[in-house]
Amino acid sequence: MKFAPGRLLRRTRAWLPALCLVCRRTVHREYSLCRQCEADLPWLGEACPRCGEQADGAASGPCSRCKLEPPDFDSCFAPLAYRSPVDKLILGYKFSGDFAGGYALSRILARVMTRRWSEGRRPDLLLPVPLHAARLRRRGFNQALEIARTIAAVSEIPLEARALRKSRATPPQTEMSGAGQRSANLRGAFEVADAAPLRRVRHVALVDDVVTTMSTANELSHLLRKAGIAEVEVCCLARAVL
Ligand SMILES: [Zn+2]
Ligand SMILES: [Zn+2]
């Protein structure tokens, strides 16, 4: 048999104890978060089914903002709030290459989404939010693609990483003030690089790490609608909660 270090590592991983990324106690799981720390994560509760923002009251159905001005996508969902320790895990993942944190949160998202999709409509294709080529070179990986890979492995939904492209580098959305400036910053920044895989599907799920302002999701959804996609949903690890 051919020596395959990757496969050997994956096989032995289950037997090697790891430390929980939050409490540092030994964990024997497929990812490095103990059950207690996972239960204590800042889980989001009842949310607007359209934009995914936390509902202000007991009312179900779209929030007042979505009733007034609905977003371009059909739904947006994040299981967790972008608060401690989720923010630290995501920042460590994106900027310091702490892959264990990104992987643990991706596994959680994959499990939650697969359950949601088994109860409702299942997307035909996963589309990670693209990074601009210059940013990709600097960081070395696209976190949205890695998250989507984990979801694809768990849900068995195909993944297409080359259909969308970020063709223009943009300053960080966090430097923009107001919704108008944020959407102007991204206007025309993305394009459909390969329309062929989009022609065969009607329902796609955009995958990202954190949703803050929804400008990126809106801009990409607009492009996907023009490419003939009937249903666009957005899923991400965490949502910034004000
Ligand atoms: Zn723990
Ligand atoms: Zn809403």
Side-chain angles (χ1 to χ4, degrees):
M1 198 179 87
K2 226 173 83 188
F3 178 63
R7 193 165 58 191
L8 193 68
L9 270 175
R10 275 198 300 280
R11 275 194 195 162
T12 46
R13 171 67 185 81
W15 302 97
L16 291 173
L19 294 183
C20 171
L21 294 159
V22 179
C23 71
R24 314 307 296 173
R25 278 195 291 251
T26 306
V27 276
H28 294 272
R29 297 182 85 187
E30 288 174 342
Y31 53 92
S32 307
L33 258 187
C34 75
R35 288 180 197 282
Q36 186 58 54
C37 290
E38 184 172 321
D40 290 343
L41 290 176
W43 294 93
L44 287 171
E46 221 23 60
C48 164
R50 193 72 195 256
C51 68
E53 277 195 11
Q54 199 130 30
D56 28 27
S60 57
C63 68
S64 49
R65 205 179 54 185
C66 286
K67 273 188 204 146
L68 215 63
E69 200 183 340
D72 273 324
F73 47 82
D74 295 279
S75 67
C76 175
F77 181 81
L80 297 162
Y82 190 66
R83 274 204 304 262
S84 179
V86 172
D87 53 353
K88 289 185 208 80
L89 294 175
I90 293 177
L91 288 173
Y93 173 46
K94 277 164 78 170
F95 301 111
S96 317
D98 294 335
F99 289 99
Y103 182 66
L105 295 177
S106 302
R107 284 289 298 259
I108 290 172
L109 177 64
R111 192 183 65 219
V112 172
M113 292 317 296
T114 304
R115 194 171 54 222
R116 280 173 68 90
W117 290 328
S118 73
E119 291 161 358
R121 283 190 307 280
R122 190 176 150 88
D124 308 307
L125 194 62
L126 304 174
L127 296 171
V129 169
L131 275 189
H132 186 259
R135 174 92 48 100
L136 183 62
R137 266 196 305 277
R138 266 202 310 279
R139 187 171 297 164
F141 68 102
N142 175 1
Q143 72 279 2
L145 171 58
E146 298 310 314
I147 297 163
R149 280 199 174 116
T150 304
I151 301 176
V154 173
S155 66
E156 297 180 335
I157 294 172
L159 159 68
E160 175 52 61
R162 280 183 285 267
L164 300 171
R165 177 164 56 210
K166 187 156 190 201
S167 41
R168 181 164 64 80
T170 51
Q173 285 293 88
T174 42
E175 287 173 15
M176 304 293 125
S177 62
Q181 224 185 65
R182 283 192 293 265
S183 56
N185 184 38
L186 289 177
R187 203 156 298 140
F190 295 98
E191 62 183 23
V192 172
D194 182 6
L198 300 179
R199 276 188 216 112
R200 297 189 287 267
V201 297
R202 64 171 303 283
H203 175 184
V204 301
L206 279 170
V207 180
D208 208 354
D209 55 339
V210 184
V211 164
T212 309
T213 61
M214 291 184 284
S215 315
T216 303
N218 259 326
E219 186 69 22
L220 284 169
S221 303
H222 186 65
L223 263 187
L224 290 165
R225 299 270 188 221
K226 280 204 294 194
I229 300 296
E231 185 166 353
V232 180
E233 66 172 279
V234 183
C235 64
C236 53
L237 304 178
R239 163 181 287 282
V241 179
L242 302 176

